[in-house]
Amino acid sequence: MAAGAWSTVRPPLSEWILDVVASMKYTQMTPVQAASIPLFLSHKDVVAEAVTGSGKTLAFVIPILEILRRREVALKKHELGAVIVCPTRELAEQTCVVLQHFLDAQPDNTAPHAHVGPVQLVVGGLKVSPAEDYRLFRENGPDILVGTPGRMEELLKKPGVRTNELDVLVMDEADRLLDLGFVEPIRALLAYLPKQRRTGLFSATMTEALTELVRVGLRNPVRVVVKVESKAKGSATRKDIRMPATLHNFYHVSRPENKLAQLLRLLRREAQDGSHKAIVYFATCAQVNYVFSLLSQHTKKHPHDTKGLQFFSLHGKQTTKRRHATFQAFAHAHTDARDTDRAGAADAQCTVLLCTDVAARGLDLPDVDVVIQYDPPNDPKVFSHRCGRTARAGRIGRAIVLLHEGREEGYVEYLQVKQVPLRPMRYILPTLAYGDEPAMDDDARALERSLRETVRSDRALYELGMRAFVSYVRAYSKHEVNYIFRLADLPLDRLACQFALLNLPRMPEVARWRERNDNDASLFDDAMPDLRTFAYADQRREAQRIAALAREDAAPAPAPRATSAKKQEGAWSEQKRRKEARDVRRQKKERKRRWLQEQASAPAPASPSDASDEEDWAAEERAVKKMKQGKLEPEAFDAEFFSAM
């Protein structure tokens, strides 16, 4: 990963910037930094595609600071020098922290025109309104804005926000910006910025939509592509791999009913081996909620099952405040662990973040030792981004994807085609040794029974589990690699064992599965609990449930509608009356037809009675039309025409 010393950059970097980099313990540049920084400083637009964890943030932060420092004329209070656009709040906050770290190190004797002004964070969800963003901008006069596209556009269109002197625009994780639907805000944002600027697009993957954005927003950009070159054993050909060289990728196969037990065994093994941080990715927010709540309550009763593990949860449906607090707590956990003695590694705590893809890319979570993909991602491109949360900045890391036995094993070959090679990891036995998966894992079954007892102790866990199961099945049915991840091949009874459910939920997918497996013996004991007596562990919720039951029992049974029989009788009577009217008209038509036939065979002057019949028929037709238009009541029609019958 080393691509030269920082002192070799031309034009040379400022001393105080080199001092900050040295304090971060980055003695050598990464390839993306060595390629991008000189290009930026020589007035080039840059499109950088580099593997995750390759140091892209410093690759644009340092040039921005150098460009603003070297301005001949200082920026005025309300003039912007640089704008950095990020896809998520967390990434924007992280970038802002890095910039502030450099700005705090500026020497006091810096000339006014060479002093870089403050940085302002412009994101939603932090109880800061667009009006507050504008007020802070007017008060502080920042030189650099960092934020998400929507809020950035809101601020740039305000009066007095001057962009005519802007030097640099950077779009970090640019492909993610487009994936999240920010195309229109980005186009609007570009309209507020001068065309004579330096622009940088940084991403781990290049997409067609990103190529279109390059054509719209950049002028003759230089493309920087940093990949890992690997040579297979016994092969003369080299392959480009979109993974850090220090990342070891594994896959682990087990039957569905043993998957959760295997996750806990993997984490306990990692804790024993000295790992301090782990990230576990799930497919849905409901799964994260359920597994976190289940393990948290289970640990209180059975601490041995999760010995040495501490859990956090993070997903997109949490409040911004909670997501921020979780992110900070996990990021700063075990900050000094790397410098401590490893003699007590067997008793060391491993902090585990249970999350969705909200933490899959862009975030720099320090010192993550292992990433476990409990559920393979729906979008295959996300696979490498998840793995990239470990093995960052040259550190060694491990990534493990858990697969169900059977068709899902084809995912390994699929990733091989995508230039992501995986090595197998054998089944972990209850003794935490490696071996073959037993025909019946008694320890996993015991854990399942224990978890189900924990679920029985709290109705809230039961409800969370049902939601998690439903959300997983729905997500599985929509997997992009659906020729591998086929819902029809997924044994839902064994999956219910994995979720420690008490019974299978009522949903179309389960009904179809029951039809296909009607006579098959099931591993799952589908025992529906009595919902009238199933209590919440939380006393407030239980009191609300009991009160609702009491109101339901005290309410009188709904009486049958008094008008229902009358309405039914009225509808039947109306139908009968219409049938009789049709019969009368049919008889009159028949008489008219016979009369016309008689007139044709023996022509004669029309008698007064015949003329009367003709007039009666015409009158009846007119009356029927009036009745259909609502101008004549059915009773009046009956009185006039039925009396003649």
Side-chain angles (χ1 to χ4, degrees):
M1 290 288 289
W6 292 93
S7 58
T8 62
V9 176
R10 293 294 178 269
L13 303 178
S14 302
E15 286 296 328
W16 61 274
I17 289 180
L18 291 175
D19 291 342
V20 174
V21 172
S23 69
M24 295 178 173
K25 299 181 181 179
Y26 297 142
T27 57
Q28 297 283 321
M29 290 184 291
T30 64
V32 68
Q33 293 164 353
S36 301
I37 293 175
L39 289 171
F40 256 128
L41 296 180
S42 59
H43 306 279
K44 299 287 186 182
D45 286 358
V46 177
V47 177
E49 178 187 1
V51 295
T52 184
S54 57
K56 292 189 291 292
T57 302
L58 289 186
F60 61 78
V61 164
I62 290 176
I64 286 174
L65 296 172
E66 286 290 350
I67 290 168
L68 297 183
R69 187 190 67 81
R70 295 175 186 181
R71 286 181 56 91
E72 295 181 358
V73 179
L75 290 167
K76 296 179 182 178
K77 185 174 182 180
H78 298 138
E79 291 180 340
L80 284 173
V83 167
I84 303 174
V85 185
C86 304
T88 63
R89 290 185 289 267
E90 288 81 4
L91 182 55
E93 291 174 357
Q94 184 174 282
T95 304
C96 197
V97 168
V98 174
L99 272 166
Q100 193 61 53
H101 187 52
F102 278 92
L103 294 177
D104 291 342
Q106 285 187 98
D108 296 333
N109 58 354
T110 304
H113 70 277
H115 187 274
V116 183
V119 58
Q120 180 176 338
L121 180 65
V122 185
V123 297
L126 296 178
K127 296 184 179 180
V128 179
S129 65
E132 183 69 9
D133 286 337
Y134 184 51
R135 184 188 66 79
L136 292 173
F137 177 84
R138 299 291 295 177
E139 288 182 1
N140 301 325
D143 288 355
I144 306 172
L145 290 182
V146 182
T148 49
R151 290 296 286 268
M152 189 75 75
E153 181 196 353
E154 283 283 326
L155 181 58
L156 292 182
K157 68 183 181 183
K158 297 288 186 183
V161 180
R162 300 171 61 185
T163 61
N164 54 306
E165 291 294 324
L166 186 121
D167 287 302
V168 186
L169 166 67
V170 168
M171 284 181 270
D172 193 13
E173 297 292 346
D175 61 327
R176 182 64 171 160
L177 286 168
L178 302 182
D179 290 343
L180 292 176
F182 288 129
V183 177
E184 291 306 318
I186 289 175
R187 290 182 183 274
L189 189 149
L190 291 175
Y192 291 106
L193 304 180
K195 294 183 179 180
Q196 297 298 321
R197 64 173 189 268
R198 275 167 276 193
T199 306
L201 268 66
F202 290 80
S203 180
T205 54
M206 185 64 63
T207 63
E208 292 183 5
L210 191 57
T211 303
E212 178 63 25
L213 183 60
V214 169
R215 287 196 291 267
V216 173
L218 281 76
R219 297 173 293 111
N220 299 321
V222 178
R223 185 174 179 183
V224 176
V225 180
V226 179
K227 298 179 181 178
V228 178
E229 196 176 62
S230 175
K231 185 174 180 180
K233 272 188 177 182
S235 173
T237 60
R238 293 182 179 270
K239 296 181 178 180
D240 292 328
I241 300 174
R242 298 177 180 272
M243 290 286 180
T246 55
L247 175 64
H248 302 292
N249 253 324
F250 300 92
Y251 70 93
H252 178 277
V253 178
S254 68
R255 289 190 290 273
E257 65 270 23
N258 297 334
K259 191 174 181 181
L260 185 59
Q262 284 299 97
L263 172 65
L264 293 178
R265 291 170 185 170
L266 278 169
L267 292 172
R268 287 166 54 199
R269 164 59 62 86
E270 290 293 331
Q272 287 189 3
D273 290 346
S275 296
H276 291 282
K277 287 186 181 179
I279 300 179
V280 182
Y281 286 101
F282 293 86
T284 68
C285 301
Q287 282 179 272
V288 174
N289 265 342
Y290 174 58
V291 175
F292 174 74
S293 301
L294 177 61
L295 294 181
S296 297
Q297 292 199 32
H298 186 74
T299 300
K300 297 175 184 177
K301 302 177 182 179
H302 307 277
H304 177 74
D305 291 337
T306 56
K307 183 179 180 181
L309 305 177
Q310 180 186 12
F311 296 98
F312 291 93
S313 68
L314 182 69
H315 59 78
K317 292 186 179 180
Q318 292 174 334
T319 62
T320 303
K321 182 178 180 181
R322 180 173 176 183
R323 282 170 58 184
H324 180 76
T326 300
F327 176 80
Q328 293 298 325
F330 180 76
H332 295 97
H334 304 289
T335 51
D336 299 326
R338 301 287 174 178
D339 302 324
T340 60
D341 184 12
R342 291 297 185 91
D347 299 322
Q349 287 284 326
C350 180
T351 305
V352 182
L353 180 66
L354 310 176
C355 63
T356 59
D357 287 337
V358 71
R361 59 184 300 173
L363 301 181
D364 185 16
L365 297 167
D367 300 333
V368 175
D369 299 286
V370 60
V371 167
I372 299 176
Q373 304 197 48
Y374 190 81
D375 301 316
N378 187 43
D379 183 353
K381 295 193 296 293
V382 178
F383 186 92
S384 59
H385 292 297
R386 287 179 170 185
C387 296
R389 297 314 96 203
T390 185
R392 300 180 68 83
R395 306 191 70 93
I396 296 175
R398 292 172 301 286
I400 307 165
V401 60
L402 306 186
L403 301 172
H404 292 148
E405 182 183 65
R407 180 177 287 271
E408 287 189 13
E409 295 176 55
Y411 195 59
V412 178
E413 294 182 3
Y414 173 83
L415 291 176
Q416 183 73 35
V417 174
K418 297 290 183 180
Q419 300 178 0
V420 182
L422 304 178
R423 289 185 289 170
M425 175 179 284
R426 299 187 71 185
Y427 193 83
I428 298 182
L429 300 172
T431 58
L432 296 185
Y434 292 104
D436 296 327
E437 185 174 16
M440 178 61 71
D441 190 334
D442 294 332
D443 185 73
R445 298 282 68 72
L447 174 64
E448 177 197 339
R449 290 191 295 270
S450 180
L451 289 173
R452 293 181 79 178
E453 286 302 317
T454 301
V455 172
R456 287 190 182 93
S457 68
D458 188 359
R459 181 175 181 145
L461 282 180
Y462 169 78
E463 294 174 350
L464 288 175
M466 299 294 270
R467 292 193 198 105
F469 184 89
V470 171
S471 69
Y472 175 80
V473 170
R474 297 277 164 81
Y476 198 93
S477 66
K478 298 175 183 177
H479 204 288
E480 287 191 16
V481 194
N482 53 17
Y483 71 92
I484 294 176
F485 298 93
R486 293 182 56 204
L487 185 60
D489 297 325
L490 192 63
L492 297 188
D493 58 337
R494 295 174 180 267
L495 186 66
C497 294
Q498 177 189 141
F499 279 77
L501 296 188
L502 303 185
N503 65 284
L504 285 168
R506 294 179 180 177
M507 56 188 302
E509 293 84 352
V510 171
R512 289 192 292 269
W513 176 83
R514 289 187 189 277
E515 291 176 2
R516 293 194 303 268
N517 303 272
D518 188 30
N519 298 321
D520 295 347
S522 176
L523 184 69
F524 179 66
D525 180 19
D526 196 351
M528 181 71 182
D530 183 1
L531 296 182
R532 287 189 61 85
T533 60
F534 201 171
Y536 291 103
D538 182 84
Q539 294 182 359
R540 181 180 59 84
R541 294 189 66 182
E542 178 60 14
Q544 292 174 348
R545 187 188 73 85
I546 293 175
L549 270 179
R551 288 194 299 269
E552 183 181 334
D553 293 339
R561 295 182 181 179
T563 59
S564 59
K566 184 178 180 180
K567 285 184 178 180
Q568 185 176 0
E569 182 181 355
W572 180 83
S573 300
E574 176 66 14
Q575 183 179 4
K576 182 179 180 181
R577 189 197 62 76
R578 290 180 180 177
K579 183 177 183 300
E580 291 175 349
R582 285 196 300 270
D583 291 340
V584 170
R585 289 196 298 272
R586 189 178 301 111
Q587 292 173 9
K588 286 194 174 186
K589 285 182 180 180
E590 181 63 24
R591 289 200 304 271
K592 180 180 179 181
R593 185 181 62 81
R594 289 197 301 267
W595 179 81
L596 290 174
Q597 288 176 347
E598 292 172 356
Q599 292 297 314
S601 60
S607 66
S609 62
D610 292 334
S612 178
D613 284 344
E614 191 70 22
E615 290 173 0
D616 288 346
W617 174 253
E620 184 181 352
E621 289 291 335
R622 289 193 297 271
V624 168
K625 290 182 180 179
K626 288 183 179 180
M627 187 173 65
K628 289 182 178 179
Q629 295 172 356
K631 298 179 180 179
L632 181 67
E633 295 296 329
E635 292 78 6
F637 179 88
D638 295 342
E640 183 175 354
F641 295 102
F642 278 21
S643 59
M645 294 298 294

